[in-house]
């Protein structure tokens, strides 16, 4: 079976559920509402859903109610433990009430092994799951320019493309769990980029350079990156509002290091990821875990005696 339904996905026929209405989740769900889809939503903090309700979303009382009323259920949560509870283990979990042939799409940055477990549990109920973490931050979520790292059954991922395309660019990366592994590798790369950008800005200031001019001078060369485009001006302007929380970067990098330890036969040495995790952990220790990842510059500044 190449897809769960022969009928194409359309706003008039496809019922959507959404769980997770933080900075990223709310922006992504809003794009589906703007495209005409009807959304049933659940949040542990209902007040976070008010903007989506104003766009027409229907608030329900539990994940199981979302599942009963949906053909496709999206989750965008904080931690793997949240995913396990909401999707698998709670008596009112999504899988407890998911209709046969329905699909769970987990956009949370979670653990590859958990994604595999959810896929297997979904197949036992004649359902499907796709682990599809995203990259691009709050700006990418609002503008529909996220990189969507989708894994599971390739036919199902293709069938879901009308929904994914509203939020960004989907890329099929492999079987269940590969989406999460892809996101971990992404975070390893982003962490290194943010560290380099932070140190570059701190050095530029110490050298007496205008930081804005430095940024414009180098962004078109080899030092330029999407991370620089997204976060360089924010760092200079001390805008640390979160697209993704610094504490989530600690989680993501930690999962990468855990995977290496769990699969001891696959020797992968990740000194940069370990250092990035330590520095982001410094942000959390400083009480800044709820700041955006661009706040990493504050750790480099503190090391250099700037309070």
């Amino acid at each position: 079976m190449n897809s769960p339904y022969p009928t194409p996905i359309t706003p008039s026929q496809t019922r959507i559920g959404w769980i997770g209405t933080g900075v990223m989740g709310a922006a992504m769900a809003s794009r589906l509402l703007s495209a005409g889809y009807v959304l049933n939503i659940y949040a542990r903090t209902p007040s976070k859903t008010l903007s989506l309700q104003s766009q027409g979303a229907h608030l329900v009382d539990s994940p199981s109610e979302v599942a009963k009323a949906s053909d496709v259920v999206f989750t965008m949560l904080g931690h793997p433990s949240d995913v396990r509870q909401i999707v698998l283990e709670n008596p009112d979990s999504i899988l407890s009430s998911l209709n046969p042939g329905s699909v769970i799409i987990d956009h949370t940055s979670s653990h590859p092994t958990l994604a595999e477990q959810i896929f297997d549990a979904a197949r036992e109920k004649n359902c499907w799951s796709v682990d599809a973490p995203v990259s691009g931050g709050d700006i990418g979520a609002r503008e529909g320019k996220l990189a969507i790292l989708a894994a599971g059954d390739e036919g199902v991922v293709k069938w879901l493309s009308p929904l994914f395309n509203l939020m960004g660019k989907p890329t099929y990366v492999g079987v269940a769990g590969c989406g999460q592994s892809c996101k971990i590798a992404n975070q390893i790369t982003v962490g290194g980029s943010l560290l380099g950008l932070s140190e570059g800005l701190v050095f530029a200031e110490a050298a007496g350079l205008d930081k804005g001019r430095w940024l414009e001078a180098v962004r078109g060369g080899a030092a330029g990156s999407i991370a620089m485009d997204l976060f360089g001006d924010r760092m200079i302007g001390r805008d640390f509002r979160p697209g993704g929380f610094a504490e989530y970067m600690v989680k993501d990098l930690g999962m990468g290091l855990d995977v290496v330890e769990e699969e001891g036969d696959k020797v992968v040495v990740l000194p940069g990821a370990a250092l990035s995790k330590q520095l982001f952990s410094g942000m959390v220790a400083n009480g800044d875990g709820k700041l955006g990842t661009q706040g990493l510059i504050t750790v480099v500044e503190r090391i250099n005696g700037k309070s």
Side-chain angles (χ1 to χ4, degrees):
M1 183 167 61
N2 290 327
S3 67
Y5 299 105
T7 306
I9 289 176
T10 65
S12 62
Q13 298 181 83
T14 308
R15 301 172 302 165
I16 305 296
W18 194 283
I19 300 176
T21 53
V23 174
M24 296 287 292
M28 295 163 72
S30 177
R31 293 194 62 82
L32 297 179
L33 287 164
S34 296
Y37 287 93
V38 175
L39 266 64
N40 290 287
I41 59 175
Y42 166 77
R44 286 170 291 189
T45 307
S47 60
K48 290 185 177 181
T49 70
L50 293 177
S51 64
L52 295 176
Q53 289 187 69
S54 71
Q55 291 181 260
H58 304 295
L59 181 66
V60 300
D61 293 329
S62 69
S64 62
E65 286 191 49
V66 172
K68 290 174 186 177
S70 304
D71 303 308
V72 179
V73 179
F74 291 86
T75 54
M76 184 55 153
L77 305 168
H79 296 274
S81 58
D82 300 320
V83 176
R84 184 176 293 279
Q85 181 183 46
I86 293 291
V87 177
L88 282 178
E89 295 183 349
N90 190 300
D92 284 327
S93 70
I94 294 171
L95 275 174
S96 72
S97 301
L98 197 65
N99 301 303
S102 298
V103 185
I104 302 168
I105 303 170
D106 184 23
H107 285 307
T108 313
S109 296
S110 186
H111 200 286
T113 300
L114 179 57
E116 293 169 2
Q117 292 170 352
I118 292 171
F119 182 88
D120 291 341
R123 294 305 299 130
E124 289 177 3
K125 294 180 67 71
N126 196 28
C127 300
W128 299 91
S129 78
V130 172
D131 53 298
V134 301
S135 181
D138 56 327
I139 294 176
R142 290 195 301 270
E143 296 182 354
K145 295 180 179 179
L146 293 170
I148 302 171
L149 316 171
D153 181 89
E154 187 171 6
V156 173
V157 171
K158 183 177 180 181
W159 180 76
L160 292 165
S161 59
L163 300 175
F164 287 144
N165 289 337
L166 292 169
M167 296 181 284
K169 180 182 178 182
T171 301
Y172 178 72
V173 296
V175 299
C178 288
Q180 298 300 347
S181 294
C182 191
K183 179 59 185 289
I184 290 169
N186 176 87
Q187 297 299 78
I188 291 169
T189 306
V190 171
S193 297
L194 288 170
L195 176 55
L197 178 58
S198 296
E199 292 190 349
L201 283 166
V202 169
F203 176 85
E205 182 176 35
L209 300 174
D210 180 286
K211 289 182 289 185
R213 289 184 180 178
W214 173 78
L215 200 66
E216 286 304 311
V218 304
R219 72 192 327 158
S225 66
I226 298 296
M228 181 176 285
D229 292 339
L230 287 173
F231 300 120
D233 290 325
R234 293 192 192 188
M235 286 179 174
I236 293 172
R238 317 302 290 175
D239 178 0
F240 301 136
R241 289 174 295 177
F245 294 132
E247 66 183 20
Y248 288 173
M249 185 64 90
V250 176
K251 170 203 68 172
D252 294 346
L253 293 169
M255 285 191 297
L257 297 169
D258 288 344
V259 167
V260 171
E261 292 177 3
E262 291 169 4
E263 301 181 7
D265 57 327
K266 299 178 182 178
V267 178
V268 182
V269 180
L270 303 174
L275 175 58
S276 293
K277 178 178 180 287
Q278 189 174 30
L279 292 171
F280 278 108
S281 297
M283 276 189 71
V284 175
N286 290 335
D288 295 334
K290 297 294 186 184
L291 298 184
T293 52
Q294 68 272 26
L296 184 63
I297 192 172
T298 62
V299 178
V300 179
E301 289 171 341
R302 288 189 186 212
I303 292 171
N304 283 275
K306 181 177 180 181
S307 59

